Structures are given as structure tokens and as C-alpha cells.
Amino acid sequence: MAENNASQSSLARWWRQVLFVPLLHSKWLTAEAKARLTEKVTSAERGHRGEVFLIIENHLPIQDAYYINCRERAIDLFSEYHVWDTEENTGVLVYVNICEHQLEIVADRGISAHVSPTVWQAMCEKAVSGIANKKTEESVGELLAEVGQVLRQYYQLEDNPSGNELSNTVVFLK
């Protein structure tokens, strides 16, 4: 998770996206792995009023890759999937970009008022380290559990009257 939101145009980033072969890098994301991660999202949402949303993407869209980085893509997806549109502004997007080996967390203003960006960054760095060691599913699962724990600290609730505002199903963008 980057503090600086200003992106620089990058020909190298664009070439990485063009040359990326999804079949070689996303074999770990089987139907069973998606189901397990969906269950991890569901578990991460228990006991609080927050919403956790997971998007895994093979690579940045080629037409945008020269101009935007993973942070900007995550912010765009945060908006596109309406993660911001929760009753108490407690949506948290976890975005994984396989090609860039990057992970971003975008938190809505309700939770951002309580949680420092350095906390999210430390969580991302830990997960990226696990991804680098070829433990992608496990690392993302642990990260989801940590996000749930952070949300429980500030939005504890045994019974959520609003229910599940966002889908728990993992979104995979090829």
C-alpha cells in the first residue's frame, strides 16, 4: 500500500502487463481456492459491522497500464464495485495484482478515521512477503483475517442489523 497516490507513467509497467502470461502465474487460483478465500472473507466479516471485499486481478488493463499503478487501480475498483457504499462507510477492499506482485488495501472513510495507513501498509507487506514465497492463498487468507480483526476493534457487533451489504464472493479479473 503506497502513501503517495501520484502515479508516474511507466513503460516498464506497461511491458510487464503485455508480457504477463496468466496461465503460468495464476494456477493456484482454482475453483476450490476461490471457495476457500470466499469463506475467509465471510469469516473476516463476522462480529462487526464492516464489509470486506476481495478482488484478485491477473494484471492491470493493458490500455491503462502505462498511466496507472496498482494503487490507482484499487481505488478505481473500490468505486466500481461500490465498496464505499456501506451504511457506516466501513468497506475495505483488498486488491491483489498477480503480475505486479502487489497488494493494496483501500478503506472507506469510516474505518480510515480509526486506522492509520501504516497499519494497512504493514499488513500488505506481510502478505506480499508470503506471496513472494509462493504462499499466495495462505497469505491472502491471513491478511483477510487480520482485516477482520481490525474491523472488530472499531465496529464490534454481535448481531449485524444491516446484514451483509457486499458480496463475499472473490472477484477474479482475468
Side-chain angles (χ1 to χ4, degrees):
M1 185 168 129
E3 292 267 346
N4 183 0
N5 289 343
S7 178
Q8 293 183 350
S9 299
S10 171
L11 193 56
R13 180 177 55 233
W14 182 81
W15 272 111
R16 280 192 305 274
Q17 310 313 303
V18 169
L19 298 174
F20 181 76
V21 180
L23 189 61
L24 298 176
H25 301 281
S26 57
K27 289 187 271 187
W28 65 273
L29 195 57
T30 62
E32 294 81 16
K34 287 181 203 173
R36 287 189 297 270
L37 286 171
T38 295
E39 180 53 39
K40 293 284 187 179
V41 171
T42 302
S43 293
E45 288 190 351
R46 287 191 187 111
H48 59 79
R49 298 182 311 268
E51 289 291 325
V52 181
F53 198 78
L54 174 62
I55 297 178
I56 299 172
E57 186 168 46
N58 272 328
H59 55 80
L60 297 169
I62 302 299
Q63 68 274 15
D64 299 329
Y66 179 74
Y67 301 102
I68 68 169
N69 61 26
C70 289
R71 180 71 183 166
E72 291 167 322
R73 177 67 173 158
I75 292 169
D76 288 347
L77 292 170
F78 182 82
S79 175
E80 183 179 327
Y81 283 88
H82 301 277
V83 180
W84 54 268
D85 194 18
T86 60
E87 187 174 336
E88 295 184 55
N89 301 309
T90 57
V92 176
L93 170 71
V94 176
Y95 171 76
V96 180
N97 186 289
I98 297 170
C99 176
E100 292 292 303
H101 302 285
Q102 279 194 284
L103 196 142
E104 295 288 338
I105 294 176
V106 181
D108 205 349
R109 63 187 176 271
I111 192 67
S112 289
H114 300 289
V115 181
S116 163
T118 57
V119 171
W120 299 125
Q121 182 158 359
M123 292 167 66
C124 286
E125 288 171 2
K126 179 180 171 189
V128 166
S129 175
I131 291 168
N133 291 323
K134 306 286 187 220
K135 295 182 178 181
T136 305
E137 181 183 345
E138 296 87 351
S139 298
V140 172
E142 290 171 11
L143 174 66
L144 292 168
E146 290 176 12
V147 169
Q149 191 61 31
V150 167
L151 288 169
R152 273 182 218 95
Q153 288 177 9
Y154 299 101
Y155 292 97
Q156 181 72 32
L157 182 67
E158 292 303 318
D159 179 39
N160 186 350
S162 302
N164 195 14
E165 297 180 73
L166 299 173
S167 171
N168 293 347
T169 304
V170 175
V171 174
F172 179 55
L173 303 175
K174 298 178 183 191

PDB file of all heavy atoms in Angstrom, residues 4 45 93 133 172:
ATOM      1  N   ASN A   4       1.929   7.570  -1.360  1.00  0.00           N
ATOM      2  CA  ASN A   4       1.854   8.546  -2.423  1.00  0.00           C
ATOM      3  C   ASN A   4       0.939   8.040  -3.521  1.00  0.00           C
ATOM      4  O   ASN A   4       1.204   7.034  -4.136  1.00  0.00           O
ATOM      5  CB  ASN A   4       3.270   8.795  -2.977  1.00  0.00           C
ATOM      6  CG  ASN A   4       3.295   9.851  -4.041  1.00  0.00           C
ATOM      7  OD1 ASN A   4       2.255  10.409  -4.387  1.00  0.00           O
ATOM      8  ND2 ASN A   4       4.475  10.135  -4.547  1.00  0.00           N
ATOM      9  N   GLU A  45     -15.722 -11.126   8.123  1.00  0.00           N
ATOM     10  CA  GLU A  45     -16.833 -10.195   8.346  1.00  0.00           C
ATOM     11  C   GLU A  45     -17.655 -10.508   9.595  1.00  0.00           C
ATOM     12  O   GLU A  45     -18.551  -9.746   9.930  1.00  0.00           O
ATOM     13  CB  GLU A  45     -17.754 -10.180   7.124  1.00  0.00           C
ATOM     14  CG  GLU A  45     -17.140  -9.479   5.947  1.00  0.00           C
ATOM     15  CD  GLU A  45     -18.125  -9.258   4.825  1.00  0.00           C
ATOM     16  OE1 GLU A  45     -19.250  -9.785   4.878  1.00  0.00           O
ATOM     17  OE2 GLU A  45     -17.763  -8.546   3.884  1.00  0.00           O
ATOM     18  N   LEU A  93     -11.532  -2.747   0.759  1.00  0.00           N
ATOM     19  CA  LEU A  93     -11.181  -3.518  -0.430  1.00  0.00           C
ATOM     20  C   LEU A  93      -9.763  -4.053  -0.276  1.00  0.00           C
ATOM     21  O   LEU A  93      -8.838  -3.298   0.048  1.00  0.00           O
ATOM     22  CB  LEU A  93     -11.249  -2.647  -1.684  1.00  0.00           C
ATOM     23  CG  LEU A  93     -10.672  -3.284  -2.957  1.00  0.00           C
ATOM     24  CD1 LEU A  93     -11.583  -4.397  -3.461  1.00  0.00           C
ATOM     25  CD2 LEU A  93     -10.448  -2.251  -4.028  1.00  0.00           C
ATOM     26  N   ASN A 133       6.938 -15.937  -1.454  1.00  0.00           N
ATOM     27  CA  ASN A 133       7.363 -17.293  -1.088  1.00  0.00           C
ATOM     28  C   ASN A 133       6.398 -18.351  -1.610  1.00  0.00           C
ATOM     29  O   ASN A 133       6.374 -19.472  -1.088  1.00  0.00           O
ATOM     30  CB  ASN A 133       7.506 -17.409   0.433  1.00  0.00           C
ATOM     31  CG  ASN A 133       8.663 -16.615   0.959  1.00  0.00           C
ATOM     32  OD1 ASN A 133       9.709 -16.526   0.325  1.00  0.00           O
ATOM     33  ND2 ASN A 133       8.494 -16.013   2.115  1.00  0.00           N
ATOM     34  N   PHE A 172     -12.541 -12.316  -9.429  1.00  0.00           N
ATOM     35  CA  PHE A 172     -11.298 -12.591 -10.152  1.00  0.00           C
ATOM     36  C   PHE A 172     -11.381 -11.942 -11.521  1.00  0.00           C
ATOM     37  O   PHE A 172     -12.240 -12.278 -12.331  1.00  0.00           O
ATOM     38  CB  PHE A 172     -11.076 -14.102 -10.290  1.00  0.00           C
ATOM     39  CG  PHE A 172      -9.829 -14.462 -11.053  1.00  0.00           C
ATOM     40  CD1 PHE A 172      -8.589 -13.963 -10.666  1.00  0.00           C
ATOM     41  CD2 PHE A 172      -9.884 -15.297 -12.145  1.00  0.00           C
ATOM     42  CE1 PHE A 172      -7.433 -14.295 -11.358  1.00  0.00           C
ATOM     43  CE2 PHE A 172      -8.739 -15.644 -12.839  1.00  0.00           C
ATOM     44  CZ  PHE A 172      -7.516 -15.136 -12.451  1.00  0.00           C
TER      45      PHE A 172
END
